[in-house]
Amino acid sequence: MTTRLISDLGGLPAGSIDLSEHEPTMTERRIDAMMILLRAKPRSFWGADENRRTIESLEPTTYAESAYYERWVLAMKSLLLEKGILTEQEVDAKVAEVQSRKSLAQT
């Protein structure tokens, strides 16, 4: 018997699915652009299978509570760290910088 992956919802009661189209938000567009750039040649830091593996290995609660593009961001961060492209300290420093800019903009 195989173990069901977090993303494998086939046959489970999960409620209705919203199939309506929506215009992507600027954040969604930026996340999509980052993924395209990180996977494009000549860089090709990772492929679709690695990205899928990383998303499917999220903690079940994190997976369930995260929106589609939030999972992409979590996967990108994980893969950038896993491959040694960025360090945890570099990511933390950039997040702090962005939060600081956001705080200044709100004042």
Side-chain angles (χ1 to χ4, degrees), residues 28-71:
E28 292 170 340
R29 290 173 192 245
R30 287 177 175 156
I31 293 167
D32 189 57
M34 284 190 297
M35 185 66 78
I36 289 169
L37 290 171
L38 291 167
R39 290 182 49 197
K41 294 182 184 200
R43 288 178 287 294
S44 296
F45 290 122
W46 60 78
D49 291 338
E50 289 176 291
N51 191 61
R52 186 178 313 107
R53 170 190 54 86
T54 306
I55 290 172
E56 290 173 348
S57 67
L58 291 170
E59 292 294 321
T61 303
T62 302
Y63 184 94
E65 293 176 355
S66 299
Y68 182 76
Y69 281 101
E70 288 174 309
R71 293 179 194 140

Side-chain angles (χ1 to χ4, degrees), residues 39 47 82 102:
R39 290 182 49 197
E82 176 184 308
K102 181 180 174 185

Side-chain angles (χ1 to χ4, degrees), residues 10-23:
L12 297 176
S16 62
I17 298 172
D18 181 3
L19 298 175
S20 63
E21 293 288 327
H22 79 281
E23 185 67 28

Side-chain angles (χ1 to χ4, degrees), residues 46 50 53-54 57 75-86:
W46 60 78
E50 289 176 291
R53 170 190 54 86
T54 306
S57 67
M76 280 189 271
K77 176 185 175 188
S78 180
L79 287 164
L80 288 166
L81 295 173
E82 176 184 308
K83 299 200 173 270
I85 298 164
L86 294 175

